[in-house]
Amino acid sequence: MSSLASASFGAALQGARDAAGAQHYPEATLYMVATPIGNLADISLRALHVLQLVDVVACEDTRHTQGLLRAYGIERPSAQLLALHQHNEAEAAQAVVARLSAGGRIAYVSDAGTPGISDPGARLAAAVREAGLRVLPLPGASSVTTLVAAAGLVGGEDHGAFVFAGFLPSKAGERDAAVQTLAAEARSVVLLEAPHRIEALARALAVLGERRVTVGRELTKQFEEIATTSAADLSAWLAAGRDRTRGEFALVLHPRPADNNDADAERVLKLLLAELPLKSAVRLAAEISGAPRNALYDLALRLRGNGDQQSSSG
């Protein structure tokens, strides 16, 4: 497979040199390189060029990355691959900083997708920046934006806005508490989950009832599935197909539908804010309207902030 893949990417490597080779690639720089989340063709020409150019490729899994590079026809000795994962990120980051300080170019790749998004890389980027060195991102594949693009997120108060929550806690009690917090979030929410926990997540999300959920399984791969159902029916959707609990998952909770209760709660909150301190107004508004206190607190902060801005501008 790798020999066939490397042969098919020969033209891509030449295209990468032609398209990206004339650009400037500064030394003493960490290149955060996005890699495909499944489909090998979802690599950028600039990423291919940088993966050939740098002195070292730091990576989440050296064996996985070696296989990925060879699939593109890029050969690197093991000595030029540096393991940097969630268990050693702090100490390995210092080794990267030392190499960069000597003028080297280093690329960092996670196993799939964009580094630092529910993957190692964030601590590395922070350490490099704190050392006064440059971090240069090479954008590319991400399961987050891939699923959002297909979900058709319309409705709600903030059209198109979404919150990235990533992986919820693995312990049942903590996961259920996190879902209760999501219930109060009016915007869309993007979640990630592993195959061995997807059924538990679906059971936890069932309390959200008819709120729409778009689930993406094996995104960009041969057996990709994308479907939209209700939170209450997500477990049934998973059970309806033999392979539906396999593969990596991304999910989007659609915006919470606006209803008259939301408008009533906001009206009550505005009246109370005019007479009471913020916390007291939120507490009473929640008791009167039945709306979630966290959502009312966030709304109160926005209303107070808007009022302060209007006062200062007036």
Side-chain angles (χ1 to χ4, degrees), residues 286-312:
E287 292 176 2
I288 294 169
S289 68
R293 186 176 296 190
N294 288 344
L296 288 174
Y297 187 80
D298 291 340
L299 175 59
L301 291 176
R302 293 200 298 271
L303 291 172
R304 280 279 170 90
N306 291 338
D308 291 344
Q309 291 174 7
Q310 291 171 4
S311 299
S312 61

Side-chain angles (χ1 to χ4, degrees), residues 20-237:
Q23 299 174 21
H24 178 54
Y25 298 93
E27 297 178 346
T29 297
L30 172 67
Y31 295 84
M32 300 290 278
V33 181
T35 55
I37 59 175
N39 192 316
L40 283 176
D42 291 338
I43 188 79
S44 74
L45 293 178
R46 194 156 63 117
L48 287 175
H49 183 72
V50 164
L51 290 172
Q52 297 175 86
L53 174 71
V54 294
D55 305 299
V56 172
V57 177
C59 50
E60 189 174 359
D61 184 319
T62 56
R63 289 175 297 179
H64 175 87
T65 299
Q66 187 72 276
L68 179 69
L69 294 175
R70 285 175 177 164
Y72 293 125
I74 300 172
E75 289 292 337
R76 279 191 173 274
S78 298
Q80 292 181 3
L81 298 179
L82 172 67
L84 191 150
H85 44 73
Q86 63 175 337
H87 303 295
N88 76 340
E89 189 169 358
E91 58 190 76
Q94 296 309 310
V96 170
V97 168
R99 289 174 182 253
L100 293 176
S101 298
R105 297 185 185 95
I106 297 180
Y108 180 71
V109 298
S110 60
D111 283 350
T114 302
I117 302 178
S118 287
D119 272 338
R123 290 187 179 90
L124 171 63
V128 171
R129 294 183 66 83
E130 287 172 7
L133 298 164
R134 185 172 180 181
V135 178
L136 200 157
L138 274 65
S142 167
S143 60
V144 176
T145 52
T146 297
L147 187 59
V148 167
L153 301 180
V154 295
E157 297 177 1
D158 301 303
H159 176 70
F162 67 89
V163 177
F164 176 60
F167 291 91
L168 295 188
S170 58
K171 293 183 178 178
E174 295 176 1
R175 182 171 54 241
D176 291 342
V179 171
Q180 289 299 323
T181 300
L182 297 182
E185 175 56 66
R187 294 166 293 181
S188 301
V189 181
V190 180
L191 304 170
L192 302 177
E193 194 50 275
H196 64 282
R197 290 204 302 259
I198 187 62
E199 291 173 294
L201 177 62
R203 290 192 295 270
L205 292 176
V207 300
L208 301 180
E210 293 305 308
R211 188 162 177 179
R212 307 299 283 169
V213 179
T214 293
V215 54
R217 186 184 74 84
E218 294 287 82
L219 291 172
T220 78
K221 299 179 183 178
Q222 182 178 358
F223 299 108
E224 171 186 88
E225 278 190 273
I226 299 175
T228 299
T229 182
S230 68
D233 291 336
L234 180 56
S235 289
W237 182 86

